[in-house]
Amino acid sequence: MRRLLLPLLGLLLLHRSCCFEFIIDGEWEGETSGLQDHRERHKRAVLTTEEQEDFESIQGDDIILKSYKVDSRITSRFAHTTVRSFVCNSGSTAQSIGFNVQIPKQAFITNFTMNVNGVTYVGSVKEKVVARNLYAQARARGKAAGIVRANSQDMETFKTEVHVPPGSNAEFELHYQEMMHRKLGFYEHSLHLNPGRLVPQFQVDVYIYEPKGISSVEVGNSFGERFSNQIKLTSSKDKAHVVFKSTLQQQRKCENCTASAIDGTLVVKYDVKRDSNAGELLVSDGHFVHFFAPSNLTPLPKNIVFVIDVSGSMWGVKMKQTVEAMQAILTDLTIDDYFSVIDFNHNVRCWSEELVSASSIQINEAKRYIQNIKPNGGTNINEALMRAVQMLVKASNQGLIDSRSVSMIILVSDGDPTVGEIKLSTIQKNVKRIMREEFSLYSLGIGFDVDYDFLERIAMENRGVAQRIYASHDAAEQLRKFYRQVSAPLLRRITIQLPEDSVSDVTQNRFDKYFSGSELVVAGKVLLSESNTLTSFTTASAARLDISLETEVNTMELDVELTKQQHSFTGFARQMWAYITVKQLFAERSLATTAAKKRKITQRIMSLAVEHQFVTPLTALLVESEDASERLLADFPKDPKHGCCSGARPEYSTGFGGPESAVRGPVRVVYQPPPWVQITTPAPPQPAAGPMPDRITIVENDPHFIIHLPRSNMDVCFNIDSEPGHILNLVSDRGAGVVVNGQLVGAKQLQKNKLNTYFGTMSVYYQPDGISVTVSTDSIDMADSRNNHSFTWGATAEIIQDGVKISIVKDSQVTVTVNNNIRVMVMLHRAWKKHPVNVDFLGVYIPNDNVYSALAHGLIGQFSAEPEVRVYDVHEGADPLKKEATMEVKGNKLVVTRGWQKDYRLNKKRGSDVHCWFVHNSGKGFIDGRYTSYIVPHLNSFLPDSLSSQ
């Protein structure tokens, strides 16, 4: 075999027929590169067929692959993957041995080592110029290393090749790191496996550790059904392990084949448990990470203008698949959405000059319009985008757009502008000039003829993201999948803050939108403090309501727990912070308006990349022997039609929503931040509903009513003995439009021949705004005629909609305030899950200073007009510890007993005693009528007028 001697400096090679770039050393991108013609930026040389054959993964029949092992350790969505291979040349002549690994484009290579006949080569990441100079001093002979960018959706390839004498052994080990991005409700970890030949020792291990727990995990593969029984999955509450082992016989393509059938992708999908909408706050190794992925919220309505390129280059499969995707996308629109379609070539046409409601009639008409499009002509992107923005502006000015809706433009194009304004920078300025802050632009580039760098910049600058759509058989599915990721916006104007004296170097913490199924991530450094608690505060706007959430974490617990985990990645938080920061800095760099600003950001990126050993477009992997006599160099490749790096946009941080601002902590900033950067992170005050009076009306336990009568300075108690499922009315005030009802739940079994009942669900209904708040032992739900939002007990929160405010104290209590003059506090009581009798239940606390109308009634509401009560003839009772007396109230004489009940506000476990006069027979004579008169059919039901008028 011809000896392979590839120079390792200044080569940019592309094998045209295979459509990939082989970067041995990518060019240094000058600060003015953005001004160069994009076609000049992507010049490439051609790798001959002979040279390409020399750079195969494993060569010659005498090359024996002894082992191939992959180990991935995912801790809190951050993965560290190691690929190891052991190969030997058993032939009688020198041969080339190769090591090829496909890695995700979003990943950063962090290290590579190899051992050839006892000589160890160790990799390290350095600034590109430094690595280049060192490499030039001692180039390795007969060895090559590089990173290949294939025209695939999500992979690139690391390649190494060494030329070795007969009988030689070579060991290779590659490390890379990546963050798992949540899309459509799950995280996906993909491992492309292609050993190249049969291997005696083949094993893949994926270890997942999620401190808050794993809710689901599944494994798939593209090898075929025959390998399914060789892939084993085991999981527990917070850990999962996937192992893939295959014997030599199992690997064969056929019974007598010598070729391996393992050439494809192993995919692990999982999601985590979330105990609250406030998110998950973790602290480890001096860094924090806050994951925010709320659910159970009603999607915001959308206003969408689809802008579709129908130029001649879209003819054929591209247009067919675009039409197919649009048919499905239009079907997914809801009746609350507004939309229009603009198609453009050298001309710009609007299906509708104005936004229209997404009714079935309008959707069908739009489908027919798109179906009849015939691509031809040039590409006038500038005018098409201007018309789209003007359409949204007009709708906004006319009041057609709901102030809480989400307005977006989705551009689909496959090429650069050829008609009208063709200068990309001018188009970018034109769109930016007329775009409003509440609008977003999403850019989808089909194929590789489009300048993806431009699409990414124009999207980032207008609170959106760009995505490349690969012109293949599944392009329609790629378009649909992208749309599904942005089809359900749940929140707007999200801010995640931590006390500025507790953290520094905070990544982007303000986001324009959050979409269902995605996740917002904020990370930073934790400052030294005497406190072991770190608290985060999140604010956001949802459909008709504003939300404030709070969560806290013990800063020491996770590090202790990680030491107990055999397969966790202990440095995940530090590396994740660096990963997010570097990605965001690349995004800022692409928007830098001057060379000086770009240089400062570049220096910051290089400093972080070297410190955390990330191979980026600005750094290189230098692999050298122990005595530094031989060196190899591998660079991060450029993306075709892209001036920097693939995936510079940190989509994990935006939830596809785009930044409202990016935040740095209170440290010296080494570059001039863009206009939307905020330098401090002040923490908002803790939400509070105000203190309750010391003595108030209480309903606790099974259920015991304690009615406080302030004028008489007296507390009167009674029990209600009803049945599970019954709904009791506590307050019914048609004048104020307020209802407070509670539904009973029974104990698990009888006790002393009696089944105790408790309040399991409480409801506060405000009729004027049609808002109901339902509090159960599982969740707190807020609903109106169109929306339904759900929150858990797992986080402190404040939610405001119109005249109703909900204040949640984590795992403790909820206070519902109506128009600032009626308050109802609901307290949560948890029972031991294995208790044979007790169940979780709710207590109710209602202050006497609530402002009701004269129509107020109910088991509690009737006492807003306090009756005259006289207690006399106090004497010893049958129980010497409990005195008895006579009570005159409402014209009745009642025998009452002195006793006490519990107020759990100050001591939730033991409670404090409230002494009261107890009225027997379910309050008969003290309440109007019998208690059965207060049973209502629904949680939002008022009492009948006949009872309310008593």
Side-chain angles (χ1 to χ4, degrees):
M1 178 178 295
R2 182 172 57 84
R3 183 179 178 86
L4 177 66
L5 291 174
L6 295 178
L8 298 180
L9 179 63
L11 294 180
L12 188 60
L13 305 173
L14 174 68
H15 190 278
R16 287 178 175 165
S17 62
C18 294
C19 297
F20 65 75
E21 280 187 332
F22 173 38
I23 309 289
I24 295 181
D25 182 31
E27 64 176 291
W28 174 261
E29 183 184 10
E31 301 302 338
T32 59
S33 64
L35 303 178
Q36 299 171 0
D37 187 292
H38 64 82
R39 294 172 181 84
E40 292 296 314
R41 286 198 312 238
H42 304 288
K43 285 183 176 179
R44 58 199 68 163
V46 177
L47 190 66
T48 67
T49 302
E50 187 178 22
E51 289 171 329
Q52 172 59 25
E53 289 173 353
D54 276 342
F55 218 138
E56 292 301 321
S57 60
I58 303 290
Q59 298 199 14
D61 293 336
D62 296 325
I63 299 298
I64 298 175
L65 179 60
K66 291 188 174 182
S67 73
Y68 186 92
K69 296 184 178 181
V70 181
D71 182 285
S72 275
R73 303 189 178 202
I74 304 172
T75 299
S76 296
R77 291 79 143 175
F78 199 77
H80 182 109
T81 301
T82 305
V83 183
R84 299 179 179 91
S85 179
F86 181 67
V87 189
C88 70
N89 176 12
S90 63
S92 58
T93 60
Q95 298 193 62
S96 292
I97 294 178
F99 174 69
N100 296 357
V101 179
Q102 287 199 36
I103 66 173
K105 286 183 178 178
Q106 288 289 339
F108 286 140
I109 291 173
T110 56
N111 202 356
F112 171 71
T113 61
M114 67 180 183
N115 186 298
V116 181
N117 287 333
V119 178
T120 300
Y121 296 78
V122 179
S124 62
V125 178
K126 301 183 183 299
E127 293 182 16
K128 187 170 290 188
V129 170
V130 173
R132 173 184 294 156
N133 291 337
L134 290 170
Y135 164 70
Q137 297 171 17
R139 301 182 186 182
R141 291 179 175 269
K143 303 175 181 68
I147 303 172
V148 175
R149 167 136 295 151
N151 286 359
S152 66
Q153 293 184 35
D154 49 15
M155 290 289 178
E156 62 195 18
T157 303
F158 175 85
K159 284 193 172 189
T160 301
E161 183 165 319
V162 295
H163 200 75
V164 297
S168 299
N169 296 323
E171 295 179 72
F172 305 97
E173 183 171 304
L174 179 71
H175 298 256
Y176 64 87
Q177 296 176 355
E178 62 178 319
M179 180 176 168
M180 302 292 97
H181 307 312
R182 189 170 186 256
K183 296 180 180 180
L184 300 176
F186 58 82
Y187 309 96
E188 182 175 302
H189 183 57
S190 297
L191 296 172
H192 187 87
L193 306 173
N194 179 17
R197 59 181 59 220
L198 300 176
V199 51
Q201 297 181 38
F202 175 87
Q203 183 166 333
V204 179
D205 289 283
V206 179
Y207 300 95
I208 304 173
Y209 173 61
E210 290 289 346
K212 294 296 184 181
I214 299 172
S215 63
S216 65
V217 59
E218 60 184 73
V219 185
N221 75 84
S222 62
F223 315 124
E225 188 65 29
R226 55 178 283 198
F227 288 100
S228 296
N229 61 354
Q230 300 166 34
I231 302 172
K232 306 298 182 184
L233 167 65
T234 57
S235 62
S236 60
K237 175 185 176 183
D238 54 7
K239 290 186 284 291
H241 178 209
V242 177
V243 59
F244 175 24
K245 290 183 180 180
S246 187
T247 65
L248 278 172
Q249 190 59 38
Q250 291 170 333
Q251 296 169 39
R252 299 181 190 276
K253 283 189 174 181
C254 61
E255 186 175 352
N256 298 316
C257 290
T258 58
S260 173
I262 298 178
D263 182 7
T265 305
L266 179 73
V267 180
V268 180
K269 295 182 179 180
Y270 77 96
D271 200 14
V272 302
K273 294 179 180 177
R274 295 174 177 85
D275 57 7
S276 81
N277 274 344
E280 180 181 351
L281 180 60
L282 302 175
V283 175
S284 175
D285 194 21
H287 292 73
F288 78 86
V289 185
H290 184 113
F291 301 99
F292 184 64
S295 57
N296 298 320
L297 300 171
T298 299
L300 299 164
K302 303 182 295 295
N303 315 296
I304 308 180
V305 181
F306 298 98
V307 182
I308 304 172
D309 183 347
V310 296
S311 60
S313 60
M314 287 286 289
W315 183 268
V317 175
K318 290 181 184 177
M319 194 69 236
K320 179 182 178 181
Q321 298 216 343
T322 300
V323 170
E324 180 186 333
M326 284 301 303
Q327 299 285 325
I329 289 171
L330 290 173
T331 300
D332 287 342
L333 294 174
T334 71
I335 193 63
D336 293 327
D337 297 331
Y338 284 79
F339 78 105
S340 186
V341 178
I342 294 176
D343 62 292
F344 69 96
N345 44 31
H346 51 282
N347 295 316
V348 177
R349 293 171 296 277
C350 298
W351 165 70
S352 171
E353 294 291 340
E354 297 180 345
L355 293 179
V356 299
S357 175
S359 65
S360 58
I361 295 175
Q362 299 284 15
I363 288 174
N364 288 332
E365 288 185 6
K367 286 181 177 179
R368 284 193 293 270
Y369 177 84
I370 293 172
Q371 190 71 47
N372 293 326
I373 290 175
K374 297 293 187 289
N376 66 84
T379 307
N380 193 345
I381 291 179
N382 182 73
E383 186 179 345
L385 288 177
M386 299 294 281
R387 291 278 289 275
V389 178
Q390 289 163 2
M391 189 179 293
L392 289 176
V393 169
K394 180 180 178 181
S396 180
N397 291 341
Q398 292 177 343
L400 298 177
I401 291 180
D402 187 321
S403 61
R404 288 183 180 266
S405 64
V406 170
S407 299
M408 62 179 78
I409 297 168
I410 297 181
L411 168 67
V412 181
S413 179
D414 77 330
D416 293 338
T418 60
V419 178
E421 179 57 65
I422 62 173
K423 189 175 181 182
L424 300 182
S425 60
T426 301
I427 297 174
Q428 189 175 337
K429 290 176 183 176
N430 290 343
V431 174
K432 177 66 176 176
R433 186 182 70 252
I434 67 170
M435 279 284 279
R436 292 188 176 178
E437 287 188 359
E438 62 266 30
F439 303 160
S440 298
L441 171 62
Y442 297 87
S443 304
L444 303 178
I446 299 180
F448 288 88
D449 293 327
V450 66
D451 192 312
Y452 187 73
D453 188 37
F454 161 71
L455 292 183
E456 192 167 59
R457 284 199 311 272
I458 198 171
M460 280 192 294
E461 199 169 46
N462 294 287
R463 295 158 297 282
V465 296
Q467 181 165 313
R468 191 186 295 283
I469 303 299
Y470 295 85
S472 60
H473 67 281
D474 69 340
E477 176 56 28
Q478 294 176 55
L479 287 166
R480 288 195 297 267
K481 185 175 181 180
F482 176 87
Y483 175 74
R484 288 199 299 270
Q485 293 176 62
V486 300
S487 64
L490 299 184
L491 297 173
R492 290 194 61 195
R493 300 185 178 91
I494 307 100
T495 301
I496 299 174
Q497 296 178 303
L498 295 95
E500 61 181 357
D501 59 352
S502 300
V503 297
S504 69
D505 297 79
V506 179
T507 60
Q508 178 189 333
N509 73 337
R510 295 176 184 267
F511 309 92
D512 186 61
K513 288 176 284 295
Y514 165 74
F515 293 97
S516 177
S518 66
E519 185 169 64
L520 306 180
V521 184
V522 178
K525 297 180 179 179
V526 179
L527 301 177
L528 292 176
S529 170
E530 295 181 359
S531 173
N532 288 339
T533 300
L534 182 66
T535 305
S536 70
F537 306 88
T538 303
T539 58
S541 296
R544 289 190 63 190
L545 55 85
D546 296 318
I547 301 170
S548 298
L549 303 163
E550 177 185 329
T551 189
E552 63 180 25
V553 65
N554 185 303
T555 58
M556 310 297 290
E557 283 183 352
L558 183 55
D559 280 335
V560 173
E561 188 61 34
L562 287 173
T563 61
K564 304 175 185 177
Q565 305 300 324
Q566 183 180 357
H567 300 291
S568 65
F569 176 35
T570 54
F572 84 91
R574 179 177 180 271
Q575 290 299 97
M576 183 180 288
W577 167 80
Y579 180 99
I580 296 172
T581 302
V582 168
K583 294 281 187 178
Q584 291 181 356
L585 285 170
F586 267 117
E588 294 173 21
R589 182 175 181 267
S590 71
L591 297 177
T593 54
T594 67
K597 291 179 180 179
K598 190 172 184 179
R599 276 195 298 270
K600 290 180 179 180
I601 299 174
T602 297
Q603 289 300 320
R604 173 70 170 149
I605 293 172
M606 289 192 299
S607 175
L608 277 174
V610 171
E611 179 184 354
H612 294 269
Q613 292 292 283
F614 292 152
V615 178
T616 74
L618 301 177
T619 54
L621 180 66
L622 185 72
V623 185
E624 56 186 340
S625 59
E626 293 173 332
D627 60 2
S629 62
E630 288 190 296
R631 293 185 175 124
L632 295 84
L633 188 69
D635 278 354
F636 194 101
K638 284 186 179 180
D639 201 17
K641 285 275 188 157
H642 196 302
C644 173
C645 58
S646 173
R649 181 67 189 151
E651 60 188 45
Y652 51 82
S653 69
T654 65
F656 279 91
E660 184 174 291
S661 71
V663 176
R664 297 282 174 261
V667 297
R668 185 174 67 90
V669 180
V670 297
Y671 62 92
Q672 180 64 36
W676 38 264
V677 170
Q678 176 180 313
I679 306 299
T680 58
T681 58
Q686 178 175 343
M692 288 276 188
D694 289 339
R695 298 179 68 183
I696 60 177
T697 292
I698 301 170
V699 186
E700 275 289 3
N701 290 308
D702 56 342
H704 304 311
F705 284 70
I706 308 173
I707 306 297
H708 179 61
L709 303 175
R711 256 191 348 205
S712 305
N713 192 26
M714 180 187 302
D715 293 291
V716 179
C717 302
F718 59 89
N719 295 346
I720 295 293
D721 294 321
S722 192
E723 298 177 11
H726 281 176
I727 300 173
L728 300 179
N729 174 259
L730 305 188
V731 177
S732 177
D733 187 350
R734 292 183 180 273
V738 174
V739 172
V740 180
N741 290 326
Q743 187 168 31
L744 296 172
V745 61
K748 294 177 182 177
Q749 62 183 28
L750 297 174
Q751 194 172 29
K752 296 181 180 179
N753 296 320
K754 177 187 176 184
L755 183 67
N756 289 333
T757 57
Y758 309 84
F759 279 128
T761 304
M762 296 300 305
S763 174
V764 179
Y765 176 57
Y766 183 47
Q767 190 180 43
D769 290 338
I771 299 174
S772 67
V773 179
T774 304
V775 182
S776 71
T777 56
D778 295 323
S779 64
I780 302 98
D781 300 320
M782 190 176 198
D784 56 36
S785 59
R786 299 177 63 180
N787 305 299
N788 195 338
H789 309 282
S790 183
F791 302 87
T792 73
W793 286 95
T796 296
E798 184 172 276
I799 304 102
I800 301 175
Q801 178 175 335
D802 301 328
V804 177
K805 179 171 71 173
I806 305 173
S807 300
I808 305 171
V809 177
K810 179 180 178 181
D811 294 328
S812 179
Q813 63 196 47
V814 175
T815 300
V816 181
T817 305
V818 179
N819 285 340
N820 293 320
N821 55 25
I822 295 177
R823 285 187 292 170
V824 178
M825 189 182 87
V826 180
M827 182 169 288
L828 175 66
H829 296 279
R830 293 288 190 205
W832 180 41
K833 290 184 178 181
K834 296 182 179 180
H835 196 283
V837 178
N838 295 345
V839 294
D840 295 346
F841 68 94
L842 304 173
V844 184
Y845 295 75
I846 300 179
N848 291 85
D849 59 3
N850 279 353
V851 180
Y852 302 112
S853 77
L855 300 178
H857 208 270
L859 287 169
I860 292 175
Q862 63 186 285
F863 296 102
S864 61
E866 184 177 327
E868 293 291 335
V869 177
R870 188 167 75 94
V871 176
Y872 59 92
D873 188 23
V874 178
H875 57 274
E876 295 291 334
D879 185 340
L881 298 178
K882 297 181 179 180
K883 296 184 180 299
E884 293 183 351
T886 300
M887 174 184 289
E888 287 188 0
V889 58
K890 297 181 178 180
N892 300 313
K893 289 186 177 181
L894 310 174
V895 176
V896 295
T897 304
R898 192 64 173 169
W900 64 89
Q901 298 296 343
K902 293 290 186 179
D903 179 344
Y904 292 96
R905 287 177 296 168
L906 297 180
N907 188 325
K908 196 172 180 181
K909 186 175 182 180
R910 300 181 181 278
S912 54
D913 293 338
V914 178
H915 293 275
C916 59
W917 289 105
F918 183 79
V919 179
H920 302 272
N921 298 321
S922 295
K924 184 179 180 181
F926 181 66
I927 61 174
D928 295 336
R930 295 181 59 83
Y931 84 87
T932 53
S933 302
Y934 298 88
I935 298 174
V936 293
H938 306 292
L939 281 171
N940 293 344
S941 297
F942 286 86
L943 283 177
D945 290 336
S946 58
L947 184 60
S948 297
S949 61
Q950 289 184 7

